[in-house]
């Protein structure tokens, strides 16, 4: 008789405030024999920090340590090749647990399907194993809440943009949308700021670091250090107010 295979669980843990973990995420996490989490070398893992107090000693912790983050690599090293290899290996390890009948919960900051690293495991494993994905409060909604700004009124459109885009692309997309959230700022902040200034959007834009976390900072745009925008930061350009 074939062994029952384990289930892959993609669990969104929200943007940082531990109280934004859903009841469903908590229930599934507590029951999972293996809990996997992404983490940068030498770090504790942000998503893991949110859920660790809920785990017991018997649960297997499976850190998935990124081999590279955003550092510049000299050819022939390529970020894409190294990271694809990493996801292949991580999927194989998780696949081993699933084959052995153990459920694996992969925790993910915010929502797993919203720029989450979980997606790369999902794409490799979802056609071979049973899967459940638990949505989480994503950072842009956590950000809008702590910035106390409604995002879009009535028929307005919202664009979610990555600060990694070229200046031209950012300009084109921002010029066409009613409201925007710009993620992945980091070293891209100065470029994003220039485009906002050009389009006359800087006065409307709001900036937050580590939204909903204990060390959250809301900083006026003019005071953001363009060289020191942390990884967990985003910008919101809210839609124009509609007085309903
Ligand atoms: C790889 S994406 C992950 C997004 C995540 N899955 C989500 O649902 O929000 C990482 C980017 O999300 C944004 N981010 C995530 N958490 C954040 C937070 N608490 N405050 C501000 N930005 C955050 C930052 O722009 C960061 O560069």
């Amino acid at each position: 008789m074939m062994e029952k295979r384990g289930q892959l669980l993609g669990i969104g843990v929200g943007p940082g405030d531990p109280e934004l973990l859903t009841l469903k995420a908590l229930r599934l996490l507590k029951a999972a024999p293996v809990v996997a989490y992404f983490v940068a070398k030498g770090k504790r893992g942000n998503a893991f920090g949110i859920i660790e107090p809920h785990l017991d000693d018997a649960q297997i912790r499976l850190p998935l340590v990124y081999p590279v983050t955003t550092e510049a690599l000299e050819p022939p090293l390529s970020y894409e090749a190294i990271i694809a290899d990493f996801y292949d290996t991580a999927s194989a390890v998780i696949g081993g647990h699933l084959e052995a009948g153990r459920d694996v919960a992969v925790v993910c900051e915010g929502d797993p399907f919203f720029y989450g690293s979980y997606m790369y495991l999902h794409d490799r494993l979802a056609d071979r194993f049973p899967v459940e994905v638990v949505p989480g409060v994503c950072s842009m909604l956590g950000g809008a809440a702590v910035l106390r700004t409604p995002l879009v009124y009535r028929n307005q459109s919202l664009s979610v943009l990555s600060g990694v885009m070229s200046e031209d692309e950012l300009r084109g997309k921002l010029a066409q949308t009613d409201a925007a959230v710009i993620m992945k700022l980091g070293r891209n902040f100065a470029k994003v700021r220039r485009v906002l200034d050009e389009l006359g959007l800087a006065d409307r834009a709001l900036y937050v670091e580590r939204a909903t976390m204990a060390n959250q900072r809301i900083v006026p745009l003019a005071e953001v250090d363009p060289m020191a925008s942390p990884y967990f930061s985003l910008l919101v350009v809210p839609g124009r107010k509609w007085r309903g």
Side-chain angles (χ1 to χ4, degrees):
M1 205 179 76
M2 233 180 56
E3 287 281 316
K4 187 180 161 294
R5 288 174 314 156
Q7 188 175 35
L8 175 66
L9 303 155
I11 309 268
V13 302
D17 179 347
E19 289 191 35
L20 291 175
L21 198 60
T22 65
L23 295 176
K24 183 162 190 167
L26 192 57
R27 175 174 61 77
L28 293 174
L29 267 172
K30 280 169 167 278
V34 183
V35 176
Y37 57 99
F38 289 98
V39 60
K41 269 183 213 159
K43 295 277 168 67
R44 176 161 170 253
N46 194 54
F48 184 67
I50 295 171
I51 56 111
E52 192 181 17
H54 301 290
L55 302 182
D56 68 35
D57 291 347
Q59 289 177 284
I60 298 170
R61 278 91 166 141
L62 179 59
L64 307 171
V65 184
Y66 292 114
V68 282
T69 43
T70 53
E71 62 265 33
L73 297 171
E74 294 292 326
L77 292 179
S78 110
Y79 174 83
E80 283 72 21
I82 294 173
I83 210 79
D85 240 36
F86 162 64
Y87 288 127
D88 284 346
T89 307
S91 301
V93 174
I94 291 172
H97 283 291
L98 298 172
E99 291 286 2
R102 289 185 285 277
D103 293 347
V104 180
V106 182
V107 295
C108 195
E109 281 127 16
D111 183 273
F113 280 169
F114 187 71
Y115 300 110
S117 296
Y118 166 76
M119 297 188 297
Y120 306 105
L121 305 177
H122 183 93
D123 289 348
R124 285 165 170 79
L125 294 166
D127 55 354
R128 291 196 283 134
F129 298 98
V131 173
E132 177 154 11
V133 176
V134 180
V137 176
C138 68
S139 55
M140 75 167 172
L141 298 180
V146 299
L147 290 165
R148 310 216 187 305
T149 186
L151 276 178
V152 266
Y153 294 85
R154 302 195 90 204
N155 305 324
Q156 292 174 344
S157 63
L158 169 71
S159 297
V160 181
L161 306 175
S162 161
V164 179
M165 279 179 193
S166 74
E167 202 158 329
D168 277 351
E169 262 182 298
L170 273 171
R171 193 180 297 108
K173 296 209 185 274
L174 278 169
Q176 283 188 10
T177 190
D178 298 308
V181 172
I182 309 175
M183 330 245 309
K184 304 191 181 183
L185 293 170
R187 281 177 301 213
N188 303 299
F189 185 84
K191 170 181 67 185
V192 171
R193 173 76 220 244
R194 256 193 321 273
V195 176
L196 292 172
D197 280 336
E198 261 177 56
L199 296 175
L201 293 173
D203 289 347
R204 232 161 88 205
L206 300 162
Y207 169 88
V208 60
E209 295 174 357
R210 297 177 284 267
T212 83
M213 298 181 195
N215 53 355
Q216 163 185 302
R217 278 181 78 220
I218 295 173
V219 186
L221 217 55
E223 289 169 30
V224 179
D225 176 350
M227 304 314 288
S229 177
Y231 175 76
F232 290 112
S233 62
L234 56 77
L235 261 164
V236 176
V237 182
R240 291 200 181 279
K241 265 195 196 354
W242 185 77
R243 305 230 171 255

